[in-house]
Amino acid sequence: MAVAMARGAAAAAPARPGRSRPPRAASSGQRPLAPPPRARHAAAAGRRRVAAAAGAPEAQSARGSGLAGQVDPTYLAAAAYLKQIGLTNTAEIARVLDIATNPNSLFVQYNDAKRSVNANARPLSVEQDMQPVVAFLQGQGLSQQQIVAVVTAHPPVLSYDVAGRLAPFFDFLASVGVSDVGAAVSRRPSLLGLDVDGGLRKIVDYLQYVDTPPDKIVQYITQSI
């Protein structure tokens, strides 16, 4: 009886101040969540496919599993070309190719989904798709190292049509006052995700309509949008 009364009193007693811990506030410096299992599996499969093309040690496991014979020759050629222009990391080659060729890629950036989804993703030909893009960027003054950095940061560029997408973009930015579009793209490759007729022209038209100074328009496009 005494034990039961003691337990009841303990349960009814108010909590002692200072003993309970407040909820932990979310830290802005929290580490990002690990990629979902499907993304990890896609990355591993991509690395094995690229290894089969690049002759890396992982190719042994790819051949042992029968995967090498299943890889599309177009994909192998694209992987070899990326290695040729300077991408040396097998995992990066797999990621770049998956974003550039797979419309349902799991490697999209979750914090910028609209710009990361690649509506132009498709199997890419080295001669008809990738080489013209690299040649165009070279013609805009980008070095080989800068091109590798741009392709790594914005893989969809490999699937852009030069005449229909890239040339109009560079011309438009030059027309609004960007003095060196190639340098601007090198500093911020995500600019290539802006489509002139997909909204960029309307934004610039509005800024001009409200009498925004030209230098502010350039600053907004190259640094903020």
Side-chain angles (χ1 to χ4, degrees):
M1 183 70 175
V3 173
M5 292 177 63
R7 288 177 178 172
R16 295 177 61 183
R19 296 301 295 270
S20 61
R21 293 184 178 179
R24 180 177 296 179
S27 169
S28 59
Q30 284 182 326
R31 299 176 64 182
L33 295 175
R38 287 195 304 161
R40 294 196 297 270
H41 295 161
R47 286 194 296 270
R48 289 194 297 270
R49 288 196 295 171
V50 174
E58 296 173 41
Q60 298 297 330
S61 61
R63 285 193 291 269
S65 64
L67 181 62
Q70 302 172 20
V71 180
D72 183 354
T74 303
Y75 182 97
L76 298 182
Y81 179 68
L82 289 181
K83 187 175 182 181
Q84 176 186 331
I85 67 171
L87 275 79
T88 57
N89 185 285
T90 300
E92 276 297 279
I93 293 175
R95 183 187 65 85
V96 166
L97 281 180
D98 195 69
I99 295 174
T101 64
N102 179 9
N104 300 310
S105 175
L106 296 173
F107 290 97
V108 295
Q109 300 294 323
Y110 296 102
N111 62 345
D112 193 10
K114 289 184 179 180
R115 195 171 294 179
S116 297
V117 173
N118 182 16
N120 299 287
R122 66 191 185 282
L124 298 177
S125 162
V126 172
E127 293 78 12
Q128 297 178 14
D129 298 309
M130 300 171 72
Q131 285 180 345
V133 168
V134 171
F136 177 81
L137 294 176
Q138 288 174 333
Q140 298 301 317
L142 275 72
S143 68
Q144 198 78 358
Q145 184 177 1
Q146 289 173 323
I147 291 173
V148 169
V150 167
V151 169
T152 302
H154 190 71
V157 69
L158 293 172
S159 62
Y160 292 165
D161 180 71
V162 171
R165 175 75 180 256
L166 288 178
F169 171 79
F170 275 73
D171 290 344
F172 183 75
L173 261 61
S175 73
V176 299
V178 180
S179 58
D180 189 341
V181 182
V185 167
S186 179
R187 288 192 299 268
R188 194 175 176 216
S190 61
L191 285 174
L192 292 168
L194 300 172
D195 188 352
V196 173
D197 295 321
L200 180 57
R201 190 185 304 276
K202 292 181 180 179
I203 293 173
V204 172
D205 287 347
Y206 172 77
L207 293 174
Q208 292 173 338
Y209 175 76
V210 298
D211 295 326
T212 306
D215 62 320
K216 294 297 183 183
I217 294 177
V218 170
Q219 181 180 355
Y220 178 69
I221 292 174
T222 58
Q223 299 181 22
S224 301
I225 194 171

